[in-house]
Amino acid sequence: MSSALLTGIAELVTNDPGCGDGSPLGVIHDGAVIISGDAVAWVGAAGDAPAADARRDLGGRAVVPGFVDSHSHLVFAGDRAAEFASRMAGTPYDGGGIASTVAATRDASDERLLELLRTRVAEMRAQGTTTVEIKSGYGLTVGGEARALRLAGLLTPETTFLGAHVVPAGARRDDYVRLVCGEMLQACAPHARWIDVFCEPASPHAFDGDEARAVLTAGSSAGLGLRVHGNQLSAGPGVRLAVELGAASVDHCTHLTDADVDALAGGRTVATLLPGVEFSTRSAYPDARRLLAAGVTLALATDCNPGSCYTSSMPFIIALAVREMRMTAAEALWAATAGAARSLRRDDIGVLSPGSRADLTVIDAPSYLHLAYRPGVPIAHALTSRPGREERNET
Ligand code: NIG
Ligand code: FE
């Protein structure tokens, strides 16, 4: 297998605290990386680099582990720009607009949905994302949910069944929960790694704690890992339920009680913050410092979706985390890479060390600090990124 040596790396972030400066980011100044096939073969100081078959000079740029966008809803058609405009004029977000995306998605052909999906994944990759989790949730029928997951599975192994996104128009709540836990789950489980539920008693469209528990328990019995949309609009039961059931991640965490923070601190569930949602719904941001002070593991993701947050940019999310949630740039970068990898229970991504996947993101700047320092400027690009199986098969 041929190897390539990357040099000219002014700042190499490995996320391996055993490397470089000993910080959680494991920063090596004037670093080098050797890639062999799909994997990292060596990292270290440029002066110590062994020989390789090929060599590439990155001209004094920074290199970081590829961003892991661990929460997105990319399988959709339609547009809700008018809903966004009305929110900016004061209408609060409550998930009611999801119905319009469901209608547009049901109307779209498989070919059209796949084309939209590919475009969105390519947009992410162009901004430095090398792994993306993709949820269903805009079909809300047995066939529609299975189709979304089958298409998402062409682009990523991180697929999530979100039949329990909202109760579809015309359905009775208890009938719909039974369908999600029965026939729909059976059809979707072969195409999904995870199951998720929008647990939000404050929304008339989403699910309460008992309904969420039923969905998650059924998903777990079908062999799926657990994720939860929790505590987005109110301090509901989502966070504590996620921790109790051993979910890999509970996402949003915007409204938390002390008991929620204690539960997260005492459990293994990662708290995934999605500050693009607060930006795009003009809401108060989650209290990242409170969670960090309690020792909770944080991830950052985009939540890219047509309603609450239509950005595909992890650098933008990092900038928001630093500016609006007072995370340090180092904490934010760690959460967007290693933390998000942890939320997907993956140890082969989010880190650059021998044996990890060769998912590298290059920053057109001498330091990762520029991710927050230069908001909105397209300086991050995936170098050797393969967000999905499809692309892996092509290489
Ligand atoms: O994570 N909260 C529920 N689901 C998405 C929004 C989906 C939509 O509005 O289309 C979220 O914010
Ligand atoms: Fe979401």
Side-chain angles (χ1 to χ4, degrees), residues 114-256:
L114 184 56
E115 184 191 348
L116 289 166
L117 192 50
R118 280 191 213 277
T119 303
R120 291 171 188 141
V121 170
E123 190 178 285
M124 288 180 159
R125 177 183 164 147
Q127 298 169 92
T129 295
T130 52
T131 299
V132 59
E133 178 264 15
I134 302 178
K135 301 175 198 299
S136 64
Y138 295 118
L140 309 186
T141 59
V142 173
E145 288 297 297
R147 166 171 88 143
L149 289 163
R150 187 170 46 74
L151 296 175
L154 297 172
L155 279 297
T156 183
E158 301 298 344
T159 51
T160 301
F161 169 43
L162 181 59
H165 198 183
V166 289
V167 179
R172 275 180 43 146
R173 306 188 69 82
D174 49 350
D175 288 345
Y176 187 67
V177 171
R178 244 192 316 276
L179 179 71
V180 169
C181 297
E183 197 191 334
M184 196 184 280
L185 174 61
Q186 241 178 350
C188 289
H191 306 291
R193 178 168 183 226
W194 305 97
I195 187 167
D196 195 343
V197 54
F198 183 12
C199 178
E200 187 56 75
S203 163
H205 312 285
F207 299 87
D208 67 21
D210 290 341
E211 292 163 338
R213 179 186 291 277
V215 168
L216 294 168
T217 307
S220 180
S221 302
L224 302 182
L226 307 184
R227 321 185 72 74
V228 177
H229 280 72
N231 301 50
Q232 175 182 0
L233 307 174
S234 67
V239 164
R240 271 167 290 153
L241 182 65
V243 176
E244 180 198 326
L245 298 182
S249 185
V250 58
D251 302 27
H252 288 287
C253 298
T254 309
H255 298 272
L256 299 179

Side-chain angles (χ1 to χ4, degrees), residues 83-91 282:
E83 178 189 321
F84 173 77
S86 131
R87 255 199 327 270
M88 292 304 104
T91 310
R282 192 171 276 145

